[in-house]
Amino acid sequence: MENKTSLSNLGVVVSVRGSVVDIRFDKHLPPIYSLLHANEGKIAIEVLSQLDAHRVRGIALTPTQGLARGIAVEDTGGPLKAPVGKGILSRMFDVFGNAIDRQAAPTDVQWRTVHQAPPALARRSTKSEIFETGIKVIDVLVPLERGGKAGLFGGAGVGKTVLLTEMIHNMIGHQEGISIFCGIGERCREGEELYRDMKEAGVLPNMVMVFGQMNEPPGSRFRVGHAALTMAEYFRDDEHRDVLLLIDNIFRFLQAGMEVSGLMGQMPSRLGYQPTMGTELSRLEERIANTDAGAITSIQAVYVPADDLTDPAAVHTFSHLSASIVLSRKRASEGLYPAVDLLQSSSKMATPGIVGQRHYLLAQEIRRTLAQYEDLKDVIAMLGLEQLASEDRNVVARARRLERFLTQPFFATEQFSGITGKLVSLKDALDGCEQILHDEFKDYPESALYMIGTIDEAKETKTKAGRLEVKSEPEVEHKG
C-alpha cells in the first residue's frame, strides 16, 4: 500500500537554481526531510521547506545536470536512509549508503533513517570514565572521556588528520571496539590513503568509512555526518559495543550548512554563517552519547579559519566538547610533534574526582612549569638565559625537558620519519613527568628525551653514551 502511495505521488519541477529545486505537488505535499527522486533516481532531492499548499523547496544531494523545468519528480515516501548491520564492517560508503570501495553492495543490512532523535536523558550514563589513547600528551594533560566528545582544533597542515589516524590505530589495536570514520568535505586522496593505511594496519575488519567528498554538492556533505551517526547508533544500541566515531572535519559540516542556508535564501548572521548554526550542530552532537547500552566516543577535527579561535564555527563547537586539543603552528615549526598547545588545550575530565589526586596534581604542576617558562621567554630573548636567577633557570630546564618528553613517535608516520611508533601507558607517562619535575633528568641532554616512548629509553640512551665516552677518554689523554 505504502509503495502505491509513493508511486502515485508525483510532482513537477518548477524551478532549478544551482542545488535548490522547487517542485509542485498537486495531490499530497511531502513532509520536511522527505527524499525525492528525479531522472529515474539519478537525482536525489531532500525537502527542506514547504512554500505553500502545493510547492516544496528542496536541496539536491547530487549534481543537478540534466534537471529541467517540467521534469517529473517522485516522492519516495520517506527520508534519506543509511545501511546498518554487521555487513557494513570493513566497507566504505557515500551519503546514500552506496558502497564506493569497488566491491559488491553488502547484502546483510537494514536501512534506517538518518534523522534519529538523541537518546533520552534517562538512558544516558552519568559515570565519567577516562578513555586512554596511548598518546602521552593527551592522556596526561587533556584526558578524553569515554562516551564524550573531543575536538582537535588547528589550522591547515598542523597535524589534525595524522593525530586522528594514530588514534584509530591505537584504539582498534588495543580496545575491542568499532571505529567509524566520517569524512566530511574530504579530498578523495585522503580517503584513498586512509583506506589503504587501515588495510595495511589490519584494522579494517572493525571499521566503517563514510565519505562526503569535497566536490559533492553541499546537501550531500551536510548529511554525511548524520548517516555515519546512524551506523554508530546501531552498533551502540543493537550490538552493545563501544564505538569510536572520528569526524574529519566538523568545520566542513558547518560550511556545507552555510552553503545550504545561503542557497535556501536565509539571511546570514555573523561572518556569513547560517542563522541556524547552533541548532544544526546540536542536532548532530547531541546524538553522540554514553548510554546504558554502550558508548559513542567521538574525536572531531575542527579546522580553524586563519588560526582564529574566536571564529563562530570554533566557538559553537567548543561548547559541545568535554576535551579541546588545540594544535599550534609554532610547536609544529619547532618539531615538537604532536604539536599540541599544552596551555590552550583543556579537558573537563582533569579533576581529582575523575583522574585521581596524583594525576591531577602532576598535570597542574606541569602546566604551572610550562606557564612560568612562557613568561620567562621574553626575558631570555632580551637578556639571555645566564641573567636568570638559579631557580628560574631550573624551571626553564624542567619545562624544556617536559616539552621534549611529551613528543612521541607515531605509528602513522613511521614511513616518513623512519622512527618506530610508540604506545605509552598512562602510568609510564605520569612516572616520566614526575621524574622530570623532581630534577632526576637534570644532567641529561634535552635531546635524550626527544621522540621517545617511556622515560626508561632516555636512561638507556644515556648509559650507551656513557659507555662510548669511557672508551674514548684514554685516547683524549694520550693526545694531551
Side-chain angles (χ1 to χ4, degrees), residues 11-17 20-25 37-39 45 67-73:
V12 173
V13 173
V14 180
S15 73
V16 184
R17 295 188 311 285
V20 177
V21 187
D22 287 4
I23 302 135
R24 182 180 176 85
F25 284 89
H37 281 158
N39 277 11
I45 301 158
L67 198 62
R69 285 164 71 175
I71 283 181
V73 176

Side-chain angles (χ1 to χ4, degrees), residues 154-156 251 303-309 311 329:
F251 173 77
Y303 167 70
V304 181
D307 292 345
D308 174 21
L309 288 169
D311 187 88
R329 197 172 297 283

